[in-house]
Amino acid sequence: MGTFSIWHWAIVFLVIALLFGTSKIKDLGKDLGSAVKGFKESLNADPKSTTDKSEDKA
Protein backbone atom coordinates (compact mmCIF):
# COMPACT_ATOMS: atom_id res chain seq x y z
CA MET A 1 0.00 0.00 0.00
CA GLY A 2 2.67 2.75 -0.18
CA THR A 3 2.24 6.45 0.19
CA PHE A 4 -0.56 8.47 -1.30
CA SER A 5 0.01 10.47 -4.46
CA ILE A 6 -0.44 14.21 -4.81
CA TRP A 7 -3.72 13.61 -6.63
CA HIS A 8 -5.10 11.70 -3.67
CA TRP A 9 -4.33 14.58 -1.31
CA ALA A 10 -5.80 17.12 -3.76
CA ILE A 11 -9.08 15.18 -3.84
CA VAL A 12 -9.10 14.88 -0.02
CA PHE A 13 -8.61 18.64 0.41
CA LEU A 14 -11.28 19.36 -2.19
CA VAL A 15 -13.80 17.17 -0.38
CA ILE A 16 -12.94 18.82 2.96
CA ALA A 17 -13.38 22.27 1.41
CA LEU A 18 -16.75 21.26 -0.03
CA LEU A 19 -17.95 19.77 3.26
CA PHE A 20 -16.85 22.52 5.62
CA GLY A 21 -16.69 25.52 3.35
CA THR A 22 -13.71 27.75 2.81
CA SER A 23 -14.78 30.37 5.36
CA LYS A 24 -14.89 27.82 8.16
CA ILE A 25 -11.44 26.54 7.22
CA LYS A 26 -10.14 30.13 7.10
CA ASP A 27 -11.57 30.83 10.57
CA LEU A 28 -10.00 27.65 11.89
CA GLY A 29 -6.64 28.77 10.51
CA LYS A 30 -6.97 32.18 12.17
CA ASP A 31 -7.86 30.60 15.51
CA LEU A 32 -4.96 28.20 15.30
CA GLY A 33 -2.57 31.01 14.40
CA SER A 34 -3.67 33.18 17.30
CA ALA A 35 -3.34 30.21 19.68
CA VAL A 36 0.22 29.55 18.50
CA LYS A 37 1.05 33.25 18.81
CA GLY A 38 -0.30 33.37 22.35
CA PHE A 39 1.65 30.24 23.26
CA LYS A 40 4.89 31.75 21.93
CA GLU A 41 4.27 34.99 23.82
CA SER A 42 3.71 33.08 27.05
CA LEU A 43 6.97 31.18 26.56
CA ASN A 44 8.87 34.43 26.05
CA ALA A 45 7.24 36.19 29.01
CA ASP A 46 9.54 37.49 31.72
CA PRO A 47 9.24 35.13 34.71
CA LYS A 48 10.08 37.98 37.12
CA SER A 49 7.02 39.94 36.05
CA THR A 50 4.66 37.18 37.15
CA THR A 51 4.03 36.75 40.87
CA ASP A 52 3.98 33.36 42.49
CA LYS A 53 1.30 33.03 45.16
CA SER A 54 3.38 30.56 47.22
CA GLU A 55 6.19 33.12 47.59
CA ASP A 56 3.76 35.81 48.76
CA LYS A 57 2.48 33.61 51.62
CA ALA A 58 5.94 32.68 52.90
Side-chain angles (χ1 to χ4, degrees):
M1 284 201 147
T3 60
F4 296 111
S5 69
I6 189 72
W7 293 109
H8 177 266
W9 289 113
I11 292 171
V12 168
F13 289 131
L14 179 67
V15 169
I16 290 173
L18 289 174
L19 287 176
F20 295 109
T22 56
S23 63
K24 210 171 212 183
I25 295 172
K26 182 174 63 172
D27 291 341
L28 180 68
K30 282 182 183 179
D31 292 342
L32 182 64
S34 64
V36 169
K37 183 178 178 182
F39 180 73
K40 285 183 179 180
E41 288 175 356
S42 67
L43 287 178
N44 293 331
D46 186 17
K48 294 178 183 177
S49 66
T50 58
T51 58
D52 189 10
K53 304 250 186 238
S54 62
E55 290 179 1
D56 291 340
K57 292 180 181 178

